[in-house]
Amino acid sequence: MIGKKLPFTKEQLEKIAEEYPTPFHIYDEKAIRANARKLNTAFSWNKGFKDYYAIKAVPNPYLMKILREEGFGIDCSSMAELELAEKVGLRGEEIMFTSNDTPAEEFKKAMDLGAIINLDDISHIPFLEKHAGIPELICFRYNPGPLKEGNMIIGQPEEAKYGGTREQLFEAYKIMRYKGVKRFGIHTMVASNELDTNYFIETAEILFDLIVELSEKLNIRFEFVNLGGGIGIPYRPEQTPVDLNVMSEGIRKLYNDLIEANGLAPIKIYFETGRVITGPYGYLVSRVLHIKNTYKKYAGLDASMVNLMRPALYGAYHHITVMGKGHLSHQTPYDVTGSLCENNDKFAINRLLPEMEPGDLVVIHDTGAHGHAMGFNYNGKLRSSELLLRENGEVMQIRRAETIEDHFATLDFGGLAKFEV
Ligand SMILES: *Cc1c(COP(=O)(O)O)cnc(C)c1O
């Protein structure tokens, strides 16, 4: 049985759960900081390198503050995300606005904040101009279509709704140059949760080639290349993570051969990753409520897919540790479920685990990205709290759990009395 590491013991976790009732997500600050530094160090050869953390992965101001301290920017794609960035104190080019199907007021907000606008489509140029004006710096999202193989979550680039074609990009930059834009960037993101290191090197090559051609044909100078997010994490214990140093070295070589050699340097390399930065360092902690034996064996938790949707949505694997039972044999196949009236509400199916009993603390791993954030309120289930395990071992609540009052806040029970049926 291959395990996964935890930043707390069973005794420590029981103490935390005494103060903060399960279920909750808990994030490991020390590991997140170390990981953020690892990425920055890997790319330290590139002056101006920056990762814009995709805030949708964990839209929590405390985590954002930590990452900003590590030199990260923020990648937003909605009004709430822009306002969150603003509330944390981020401004200007610390914010990348990579949206699609964008409402006018979001462009306006992004412009007001001085964010880098990353346009998803050529048709957004007149829309942006009409509602928010033309910025001094512009970026376009490229969709390489058949040039690139897709993967499970995003799908084939040709089938993906994001970005513009090669021909459209030439036209789009030309229009923007004509409109007086002087500063340019380019972006692509074609994969999600990809574990093949070469994939990102190949993506860089596609973009570098395109930069060479665009720069030459249009006589514009690129300031940055945004390689997007999508770097995967090893959800399964036997998987290996993307080697950030190998990836960086591969990209560095291409940078020398294509960007430097063509006199196009310096170009800053940006990413907008979420998962690879925080994903492995978040944990959903839950307790077994019931053990049920019918045609199968079920362990029913006090968490459900409203707290973590990935297994139900993508059939995603999330490793499970039953606290204090790691040394026992893992030979009992369990379906680990939540309480929704929805049969997909399962964290694992036929997972071999040690014998469980009600009250056992269960940790679901790798929930530090697209975990709590994807939550919802079906069946009136409430969103859980989020906790931060500080570097000094203290635990801090960085989001309280929802209450029934929060959940009913948009309903008007007062009007019922006057409501004629
Ligand atoms: C979701 C998303 C990201 C982050 O993806 P990760 O898999 O968390 O790295 C970055 N950029 C855009 C445009 C996205 O939609």
Side-chain angles (χ1 to χ4, degrees), residues 75-138:
D75 177 55
C76 301
S77 67
S78 70
M79 185 61 90
E81 290 174 4
L82 286 167
E83 290 201 3
L84 190 59
E86 185 179 20
K87 281 190 179 0
V88 179
L90 287 104
R91 293 290 183 283
E93 291 170 24
E94 284 179 296
I95 306 172
M96 180 80 61
F97 185 55
T98 301
S99 63
N100 70 92
D101 190 23
T102 315
E105 60 274 18
E106 293 184 10
F107 274 137
K108 197 164 171 327
K109 181 74 185 176
M111 286 282 278
D112 288 348
L113 289 171
I116 301 174
I117 310 275
N118 185 9
L119 285 187
D120 184 66
D121 188 46
I122 190 167
S123 72
H124 293 184
I125 298 174
F127 187 82
L128 176 70
E129 185 168 28
K130 178 172 170 210
H131 296 286
I134 295 290
E136 151 196 334
L137 165 65
I138 200 75

Side-chain angles (χ1 to χ4, degrees), residues 54 56 75 98 141 189 192-193 229-231 272-275 370:
K56 70 170 189 230
D75 177 55
T98 301
R141 181 170 187 163
M189 171 162 168
S192 186
N193 192 30
I231 302 175
E272 48 183 38
T273 66
R275 191 187 320 266
H370 315 297

Side-chain angles (χ1 to χ4, degrees), residues 48 52 93 96 116-118 137-140 173 183-187 211 221-227 266-270:
Y52 289 81
E93 291 170 24
M96 180 80 61
I116 301 174
I117 310 275
N118 185 9
L137 165 65
I138 200 75
C139 181
F140 282 102
Y173 284 106
R183 304 173 56 205
F184 299 92
I186 190 166
H187 166 268
I211 286 176
R221 212 193 88 66
F222 281 89
E223 268 184 36
F224 71 82
V225 51
N226 179 345
L227 297 172
I267 294 182
K268 292 177 279 190
I269 292 176
Y270 293 164

